[in-house]
Structure formats: C-alpha cells, structure tokens
Amino acid sequence: MTDAEEPRPDPTAGAGRPSPASALARLEALGGSKKLSRWDRPPDPHDWRWVVGNLGRTLITIGMLMFAFVGYQLWGTGIQEARSQDQLAQDFNQAIHDAGLDTTTTGTGTTPGTGTVSGTAVDTTPTTVANPAEQVFPTGIAPGDAIATIAIPAIGVNKYVVAGVSVKDLRKGVGHFPNTPFPGQLGNAAIAGHRTTYGQPFYRLDKLHKGDEIKISTILGGSYVYMVTSIEEVGKNDYHVISDSNPKKATLTLVTCTPIGTASRRLVVHAALDTARSSQVGKPTLYYGQEPSTVVTTAPPGETPAGGTAEGGSATAESVVPGSNLPATLTTTPGGSTSDGSNPDQAAGFNTPTDAFNQGWFADGRAWPHVIGWGLLLMAVCLGAYQLAKRQRRLWLGFLVGMVPFVVVLYFFFENVNRMLPAAI
C-alpha cells in the first residue's frame, strides 16, 4: 500500500462487539464529550481488577438470592398453604355433606368456633367418660386428606387438619398423628403444625394459657371443646408427650418446634376435653379405622435403615398399610403401650421419627433432579434476557422481557430447594 492509497475499511467493523480501536475512534470523533454505551466499550483487561469486580458481582447476586429465598420461606410457602387450605375446605365440606352430618354440639354450652368461656373459674381436669360411642370412619382416608377443623381463638388460629404429619402433609396445614386417637375420642389425640413457614399456624402457640379453648370439628360430624391444661418444652425425641394417654379420658396435645426457626426442641400444649360443651365422645380408633401392619427391621448400632433412624439397633422400615394408603408403624394403644404390650418409648416403630420436624438436611433425595432442572432453566432465562438486550442494545428491554419468567422459574427453584432443607428452617 502506497502513501496515496486509502486505508482499507475493517471488514469486521460494526459486526458484533466493536474492536477497541474502532471504539476509541468513535470516542475521538465525538470529541470525547459523550460516554460510550456499554455495548460499545472495549472489553476490560483480565487483570486483578476484573477478578475482584466479578467476584463482587457474584457475591451480591448470591446475597440477593438469599434474601429472596427468605421471602419465599415467609410468604411463598404461605401462598402454597393458603391454596391447600382452600382445597381442604371444599373437601371437608363435601365429606360432611356426603355423610349427611353437621358439626354442632350435642352437649350444653357454646358451639365450637363461636362461643366464649363464661365466668373466671375454668375446670381443666380431664373428665372420665364411661360410655364412649362407636364411630365409623369413611373408607380410604389417605395422608393429606382433610379430617377436621381446629380453632384457637386466643391466638387467632382457624385451620383445616389433615391426616398425617409428614413433610408433604404439613405443607397443607396442621396434621394429626394417625397412630394416636382421633380428636373427640378417648385417649390422647396429637396434632402438629409449623411455626415459621407454610402459614405459621402454631407461631403463637407459646402465648396460650391454662383455660384457653381449642375447638375441633371432625368429618364424623362431632364438635369438641378442649381446655388448655399445661404448656411445656421437651426434647425433640421425647415422644412420650404423644404416646402418654389415659384410656378413660379424652385429651389433646399440640406440638410444634421451638425456639422459633429451629427444630432443636418441641413446644407442647396439653388440653382436656370439656364434655359438657362437646359432642359425644367416641371409642379410641387409630389410623382412622384402617389396620396397619408392624414392619420392624434390625440394623447395627449407629446405622439407619431405610425410612428411619437407628436407636438401640432397631428402626422401622418404610412400608404401606395393606389395604390402605397410610404408612405402617408400630401401633399404640390409648393406654400408652404398643400393640404387642411393650413400652412405646422403647418400641422401635414408635421411636422412629415420624413427623416432619425430624427431617434433616438433604433428606428428600428426589428433589435433586428438580433443583438441577429448574436451576438450569433459571440460567437459561437470564442468558436469554441478556442476549436480547445485547442484540437490541437496550438493557432495560432485557429486564422487562425476562422479569416475569425469571420470577416464575425462581419460585419453583426455591420450592424444590426447600424440599431439601430441615422443616424448621
């Protein structure tokens, strides 16, 4: 090329990201008076500043995602629980309608859900019932089905109760331990609920006092008023608070985690039935009239067989009750002993953790594929939004188009991550 020849234009100019030379030339042409668009800037040199800058952006992004996950825990899980409660309301009302029942009391006094305690002296001593009634359950009750309503006016609780206390069951609301008598029957009926997530049904359970009312209406048509007798904190493996039961008296136990945000201990509320203001008490029935089978496996000390934890070398294997949808476990009688006459505190089937609060880290291995899948989809949404913004040279357009799919995918990503965390976190 001679001095007279014009320089040839760069064939790559204008295609994709401009070269540093062309970007500088444009800046000089503008007289340096205007700032270059982010799409026209030359790439940053990959020195220590570049490393520190990207590390800072990554940490900020992680922090924002953690704040978003906290928001999901507090409010997102509440949305799930509210949807489930709406469906449970329909199922419960339909069950009552199909059976031709109502939930009004047959005793004297107020109707559960509407009345108050008159006077200042409240007798919370459990009353012995001499002639309990036979109660027939609907066939095919499965874990997660609506079986009752619970109202605690003193702390503003009004929820539907489901059968079972697994992680999946308690996402719908409060759950009934199926290996304890049904509410309104002789013996100790036990109910568990979350304290910080999924609607926080038992968040203020520690605010109850002796004499406060707990009102329960069941799918069998009965309505019952229990009076709080005591509140205590116990260890997370102290299952005697559930199994201890007087076969001649109707009592109720409410269980949740404590302190708030952890599952290290259990907050337990004990209550006794007020027979004068309740429907007729029934004979104790476990597993809603279904017959469970006892399946016990032996494991070496310190090892955990499938479906439980090893204590004293034994645990219960995961199985299903023949002819039903309920998990099998060692049954307990209202008197506090198991079906084979042994102590429930020493019985492998009952001592095995059966409630959602005992789920540890990464307990739900089936969540891994879902977490990975939704995570990859989340990355694809972000990348697609960035490429759109780059092509149109409009950063706001990428944010506008990608925001809705990003939030939707992030919600389902969090939902599956939550399956792998302890229930109290």
Side-chain angles (χ1 to χ4, degrees):
M1 181 176 70
T2 64
D3 295 340
E5 292 179 331
E6 294 291 334
R8 295 180 180 180
D10 185 358
T12 63
R17 192 178 185 93
S19 66
S22 62
L24 290 174
R26 181 175 297 184
L27 181 61
E28 292 176 356
L30 294 173
S33 59
K34 292 186 178 180
K35 185 178 180 180
L36 277 178
S37 166
R38 64 177 293 113
W39 315 111
D40 296 328
R41 297 171 192 168
D44 297 328
H46 290 186
D47 56 8
W48 66 271
R49 297 181 184 84
W50 179 84
V51 174
V52 172
N54 281 284
L55 178 62
R57 295 185 188 96
T58 301
L59 294 176
I60 291 173
T61 301
I62 294 175
M64 293 176 66
L65 289 175
M66 292 179 66
F67 273 113
F69 184 69
V70 171
Y72 165 80
Q73 284 270 301
L74 296 177
W75 296 292
T77 58
I79 295 174
Q80 291 178 251
E81 188 263 357
R83 291 204 307 261
S84 297
Q85 286 285 304
D86 289 341
Q87 183 60 50
L88 291 172
Q90 299 179 30
D91 297 341
F92 181 83
N93 292 330
Q94 187 63 47
I96 294 294
H97 179 268
D98 292 344
L101 303 170
D102 59 50
T103 56
T104 58
T105 61
T106 57
T108 60
T110 59
T111 300
T114 60
T116 58
V117 181
S118 60
T120 56
V122 178
D123 183 9
T124 58
T125 304
T127 304
T128 299
V129 178
N131 299 307
E134 290 282 355
Q135 295 179 330
V136 180
F137 286 84
T139 59
I141 294 180
D145 286 353
I147 59 171
T149 66
I150 182 170
I152 312 177
I155 57 175
V157 171
N158 196 350
K159 298 289 183 180
Y160 287 88
V161 183
V162 302
V165 289
S166 69
V167 174
K168 184 177 181 180
D169 299 331
L170 295 188
R171 287 174 181 165
K172 296 181 177 181
V174 296
H176 169 250
F177 285 85
N179 56 343
T180 66
F182 199 63
Q185 295 181 343
L186 291 178
N188 183 48
I191 292 176
H194 282 293
R195 201 169 181 195
T196 57
T197 57
Y198 294 99
Q200 305 174 336
F202 286 169
Y203 181 79
R204 300 180 62 222
L205 202 64
D206 61 325
K207 304 302 182 183
L208 288 177
H209 298 91
K210 184 176 180 179
D212 286 340
E213 294 180 342
I214 302 173
K215 306 175 182 183
I216 295 182
S217 299
T218 73
I219 56 171
L220 303 183
S223 293
Y224 306 91
V225 180
Y226 290 87
M227 310 298 291
V228 174
T229 57
S230 63
I231 303 175
E232 63 175 330
E233 287 189 15
V234 300
K236 64 179 181 180
N237 292 321
D238 290 338
Y239 286 99
H240 66 86
V241 298
I242 296 173
S243 61
D244 287 350
S245 183
N246 187 327
K248 294 183 179 181
K249 297 179 180 180
T251 57
L252 177 70
T253 297
L254 306 182
V255 184
T256 192
C257 290
T258 197
I260 293 176
T262 71
S264 59
R265 294 181 63 78
R266 299 290 181 267
L267 177 66
V268 182
V269 173
H270 300 282
L273 183 69
D274 183 350
T275 55
R277 298 190 295 148
S278 301
S279 300
Q280 185 176 9
V281 179
K283 292 183 178 180
T285 304
L286 309 184
Y287 296 97
Y288 318 112
Q290 303 178 39
E291 292 295 333
S293 63
T294 301
V295 182
V296 179
T297 60
T298 301
E303 293 188 9
T304 303
T309 59
E311 292 197 33
S314 298
T316 299
E318 183 71 22
S319 61
V320 176
V321 179
S324 75
N325 297 312
L326 295 171
T329 186
L330 196 61
T331 61
T332 59
T333 66
S337 62
T338 60
S339 54
D340 63 357
S342 61
N343 189 319
D345 294 332
Q346 299 174 353
F350 190 84
N351 216 24
T352 299
T354 56
D355 63 291
F357 305 135
N358 281 290
Q359 173 177 292
W361 290 87
F362 311 113
D364 189 356
R366 295 172 298 179
W368 276 111
H370 300 279
V371 170
I372 295 173
W374 285 108
L376 291 175
L377 184 58
L378 189 65
M379 294 173 61
V381 169
C382 295
L383 183 60
Y386 176 78
Q387 291 297 326
L388 175 65
K390 182 178 179 180
R391 181 182 295 273
Q392 299 297 323
R393 302 172 66 83
R394 297 290 186 273
L395 187 61
W396 62 266
L397 183 61
F399 277 110
L400 184 64
V401 174
M403 181 59 67
V404 172
F406 175 82
V407 172
V408 172
V409 175
L410 184 65
Y411 177 88
F412 289 105
F413 175 72
F414 284 162
E415 184 179 77
N416 287 280
V417 169
N418 195 50
R419 293 168 56 187
M420 306 175 69
L421 302 181
I425 290 182

